[in-house]
Amino acid sequence: MPVVNSCQVDACAYNTEHTCHALAITVGDSTHAQCDTFFGTQTSGGDPVSTGHVGACKMADCQHNVRLECQAPGISVGFAHDQADCLTYAPA
């Protein structure tokens, strides 16, 4: 599974110092490449010693997507259009 190299979405429960600690995130809703795992709360989540990975990607039109699985070596998550988005998304 591709690693989440960085996450600039500080308000996410899984983000600590720009590192995602969710064991696996889901990207997209078939129309927009947002991080579906984003969860805004004061409570810290995830595994503090693990780095997040991409578990599933619903963006079938992304050049890194093969059968709804991300094939990029790693991704970055950050703000785009006021949402937590996969910044590695690239239309095929």
Side-chain angles (χ1 to χ4, degrees):
M1 292 190 303
V3 69
V4 179
N5 290 322
S6 68
C7 178
Q8 302 301 315
V9 185
D10 295 330
C12 183
Y14 296 104
N15 185 322
T16 303
E17 297 180 12
H18 298 197
T19 301
C20 178
H21 293 285
L23 294 178
I25 68 167
T26 298
V27 173
D29 66 0
S30 78
T31 60
H32 190 84
Q34 81 270 2
C35 177
D36 277 354
T37 309
F38 168 80
F39 182 58
T41 184
Q42 297 296 331
T43 304
S44 293
D47 182 350
V49 297
S50 294
T51 300
H53 290 81
V54 180
C57 179
K58 301 175 195 172
M59 300 303 297
D61 69 334
C62 180
Q63 68 182 11
H64 303 292
N65 191 311
V66 176
R67 300 181 65 190
L68 302 178
E69 299 288 340
C70 182
Q71 303 299 310
I75 71 161
S76 295
V77 175
F79 279 106
H81 311 291
D82 297 325
Q83 293 184 17
D85 280 7
C86 175
L87 302 179
T88 309
Y89 167 75

